[in-house]
Amino acid sequence: MRQDKTARFALLGLLVDEAHHGYDLYQHFTDPAGLGQVWHLGMSQMYADLKTLEASDFVKATVEQQDSRPAKKVFALTPAGRAAFREWMATPSRGLREMRVEFIVRLFFARREGRRAVTALIERQDQALRAELARWQVERSTEALDDFGQLVRAFRLNQTQAALTWLKSLRNSTPRR
C-alpha cells in the first residue's frame, strides 16, 4: 500500500520539469539506470495511479491528436500536485522498511535538483533515524524482552546503525558542486 503511494509521488516527480505522456513516464520505471533499479511498476498500475492523481487534481491530462497513430494523453503537474510532491520530498521515511524504497526514490529526485537538495534530504533522514535509534535504545533498557524479542530488537538497532553509516558515506560522497 505504502509503495503505491511512493509510485504516485514518483510520477509527480517525473512531471516537475515537463509534461509527459504515459509511455514516457513508464520508461523511467523500466530504466535500469534510473527508477527501474528501485522497483518495477507495471504499466497498468502506473495508469491506475495516474487516474488517481488526476482525480485528486494533482495532474491534469490533455489529449493530443496524432496523424497516423491513436490520440495520446499528456499529463502535466498542477500546483496542488507540485505542492504534494514538495511536501513528500521534505518528509523523512519512517523506519527502515520505508527507507528502502521511499528514501531511494527521494534521493533520485533530490539528485536532479543538486547537492543542496541531496544534503538536506540526507540530514532529515539522519535525524529521523537517530530519533528512532534513541527510542529503541530507551525501550531496550526499560522493556523486559524474551530471547526472541531481544534478537529482533538487536537486529533493528544494527540495521538502523548500518543505515546511519550509509547515510554518512552518502554525505561524504556527494559531489560538492
Side-chain angles (χ1 to χ4, degrees):
M1 186 67 170
R2 187 81 182 159
Q3 192 167 329
D4 291 342
K5 289 183 180 179
T6 302
R8 291 178 193 150
F9 286 111
L11 287 165
L12 294 177
L14 292 171
L15 295 169
V16 164
D17 293 330
E18 62 183 309
H20 290 280
H21 60 80
Y23 189 73
D24 276 348
L25 293 168
Y26 181 71
Q27 293 301 307
H28 287 279
F29 294 102
T30 59
D31 180 1
L35 292 173
Q37 295 179 77
V38 182
W39 86 96
H40 174 74
L41 181 66
M43 191 175 277
S44 61
Q45 182 61 49
M46 184 198 72
Y47 278 106
D49 286 339
L50 285 168
K51 194 173 189 174
T52 299
L53 292 169
E54 191 176 4
S56 302
D57 293 325
F58 288 163
V59 298
K60 181 177 182 175
T62 55
V63 176
E64 269 188 16
Q65 299 299 325
Q66 301 184 102
D67 291 336
S68 60
R69 302 175 120 190
K72 62 181 178 183
K73 272 186 166 182
V74 176
F75 299 92
L77 201 58
T78 65
R82 186 174 303 276
F85 178 72
R86 289 286 163 224
E87 182 179 334
W88 178 76
M89 285 292 291
T91 305
S93 300
R94 293 175 303 166
L96 294 170
R97 186 178 299 175
E98 287 184 10
M99 189 176 165
R100 191 178 63 80
V101 174
E102 280 192 16
F103 179 81
I104 300 297
V105 172
R106 285 183 178 106
L107 182 60
F108 175 84
F109 289 109
R111 288 172 51 99
R112 291 174 144 201
E113 293 179 25
R115 183 178 192 280
R116 186 180 219 167
V118 171
T119 300
L121 177 72
I122 292 169
E123 292 306 317
R124 284 189 299 271
Q125 193 62 51
D126 185 273
Q127 289 175 5
L129 286 176
R130 288 186 188 286
E132 192 169 332
L133 186 63
R135 182 178 52 83
W136 283 343
Q137 288 171 334
V138 168
E139 287 177 8
R140 184 169 79 177
S141 67
T142 59
E143 284 183 327
L145 298 172
D146 62 14
D147 287 348
F148 183 69
Q150 290 177 15
L151 290 173
V152 171
R153 180 63 46 87
F155 178 74
R156 288 180 177 158
L157 286 169
N158 285 321
Q159 274 193 318
T160 303
Q161 288 168 337
L164 285 166
T165 300
W166 179 75
L167 285 175
K168 183 179 179 181
S169 71
L170 181 61
R171 183 184 302 116
N172 293 337
S173 68
T174 301
R176 302 212 178 271
R177 312 182 256 141

